[in-house]
Amino acid sequence: MTERILIKGGIVLTQDDSLGELNGADVLVEDDMIAEVGRDISAADAQVIDAAGDIVIPGFIDTHRHTWETSIRTCAPDYSLGAYFAGILDKFGPAYRAEDVYAANLWGALECLNAGITTLVDWSHIMNTPDHADAAIRGLDESGIRSVFAYGFPNTSLQDWWFGPDYAGSRLTTSGEEARRIRTQYFNSDDGLITMALATRGTGYCVEDVVRYEWELARELGLNITVHVAMYRFGYTKLQLRRLKEMGLDFPNTTYIHSSHLQDDEWAMVRDSGSNVSFAPQVELQMGHGWAEAVKALDYGVPIGLSSDVATTTSADQFTQMHAIFASERARRHEIAWDDGLEWNELESKLINARQVLQWATIGGAKVAGLDARTGSITPGKKADVVVIDGSAVNVAPVIDAAGAVVCAADISNVKHVLVDGNVVKRDFRLAASLDEPRKRVEASRDHLISKFGEPEAGWLTASADREVATA
Ligand SMILES: [Zn+2]
């Protein structure tokens, strides 16, 4: 029997160009699908979720998060990127057991659902053993979130797996065999709630034999690639995408994370190859990656998604990302305008706006995750990934411009109802899942990981650990 849910009378920001924004509209969900969107839908047998005065949006998409780091949340608030590599990847990575990855992935995915993130790209470079991979997938699966498991590489020994002088080590083949096993065992179909991508290192970060190996592996397995590029001083002058193109590895549907210092020919390469970018604006500002080049991406017509990256250093929700990119990219344009002596009207045309930011957090993110045929907008025929934002909250009411309310006023506390794949995973501000056991597990994981490095105190993971970077 078809199960029907009617989300009734909300301000529906569909993020579907043909449907637009609808006041006092209904969304009818049948099983896992959005069946109908419009006013006065009659569905007598449906369970009703009253959304009068509330704002209905498609679920947010986080296009890149190292979910395994949820166990060590905010252990490193003051880090720049160099210290992060030394302090988090080199120190903590090797100490992770499979059970730590499971605890972190489950807790991090529940955190997403609570914050209205219905799709998560889990960038999992903690594949230290086969058990770690199984544990990561199990955590995602038990949460009920839609996700892309981006299978990465191990973090097993100091400087071994990222920036090391020679990555073509003995583990390389194992890594490929493992990727094949995961593809066959868990992702024989690309239609499930969890799908697979390949999280790679890339040019300028490791020897080119490894780059070619990983790109060819992605092609063999039919997976999209997601890769960090052009960030901080590591990526500032490397021209990583120029090199990738020279190598003939400018594959379509690749996600270039950060992309802070791409040159114009590299932006053209992203566009021409049919690829996209994921900006993590809060962490980019804090850690020194560079600016989230939203206007540049718009100029080139490159799809934009937003991402949270690391829970070690920033809050990991899409409200934070929307605030960060909205403020930083407008601040930068204002500064450029003053320096160039632009007139007011010339400046206004270069300022990003709230509706664009909301698009990037939803349908833009779905394009980046490769799932826009399935999610990212409230469109009949798509999966029912829907979020209701409380329009009566003290920090949201009175609502005048609903997109403005979501982007500029709302926060996690206003996420009232969340549906993933037609399942109500959060209702009336409460997650359906019990949090007690997952929290105990992630706290035990924290205790284990922290015990490896002594008692925390102020500055305990010294930022001076900034490592020398080998150039490949
Ligand atoms: Zn990252």
Side-chain angles (χ1 to χ4, degrees), residues 189-211:
S189 152
D190 291 323
D191 298 330
L193 195 61
I194 313 178
T195 49
M196 186 176 176
L198 201 68
T200 62
R201 285 155 291 201
T203 43
Y205 295 143
C206 59
V207 294
E208 294 193 345
D209 284 353
V210 174
V211 176

Side-chain angles (χ1 to χ4, degrees), residues 36-60:
E36 202 178 336
V37 183
R39 294 196 181 85
D40 302 320
I41 296 172
S42 64
D45 58 338
Q47 173 201 146
V48 173
I49 292 177
D50 180 10
D54 294 335
I55 305 165
V56 183
I57 60 172
F60 293 121

Side-chain angles (χ1 to χ4, degrees), residues 182-242:
I182 298 292
R183 181 67 161 143
T184 307
Q185 184 174 337
Y186 293 100
F187 305 108
N188 249 328
S189 152
D190 291 323
D191 298 330
L193 195 61
I194 313 178
T195 49
M196 186 176 176
L198 201 68
T200 62
R201 285 155 291 201
T203 43
Y205 295 143
C206 59
V207 294
E208 294 193 345
D209 284 353
V210 174
V211 176
R212 189 171 294 286
Y213 176 89
E214 292 188 340
W215 260 249
E216 286 174 356
L217 182 65
R219 176 165 279 172
E220 174 199 322
L221 297 178
L223 301 175
N224 290 341
I225 283 173
T226 171
V227 58
H228 298 74
V229 297
M231 59 189 186
Y232 198 61
R233 62 190 171 86
F234 305 136
Y236 187 48
T237 56
K238 288 260 176 78
L239 301 170
Q240 291 163 295
L241 298 204
R242 195 177 290 175

Side-chain angles (χ1 to χ4, degrees), residues 213-284:
Y213 176 89
E214 292 188 340
W215 260 249
E216 286 174 356
L217 182 65
R219 176 165 279 172
E220 174 199 322
L221 297 178
L223 301 175
N224 290 341
I225 283 173
T226 171
V227 58
H228 298 74
V229 297
M231 59 189 186
Y232 198 61
R233 62 190 171 86
F234 305 136
Y236 187 48
T237 56
K238 288 260 176 78
L239 301 170
Q240 291 163 295
L241 298 204
R242 195 177 290 175
R243 183 65 195 135
L244 210 54
K245 189 167 192 292
E246 286 166 1
M247 294 173 73
L249 301 178
D250 47 340
F251 287 6
N253 304 316
T254 298
T255 297
Y256 296 106
I257 298 163
H258 304 308
S259 293
S260 313
H261 303 292
L262 293 184
Q263 302 300 302
D264 280 341
D265 63 308
E266 297 181 303
W267 276 108
M269 178 277 220
V270 179
R271 176 196 61 205
D272 296 344
S273 60
S275 292
N276 53 66
V277 292
S278 169
F279 296 134
Q282 179 65 36
V283 83
E284 288 158 5

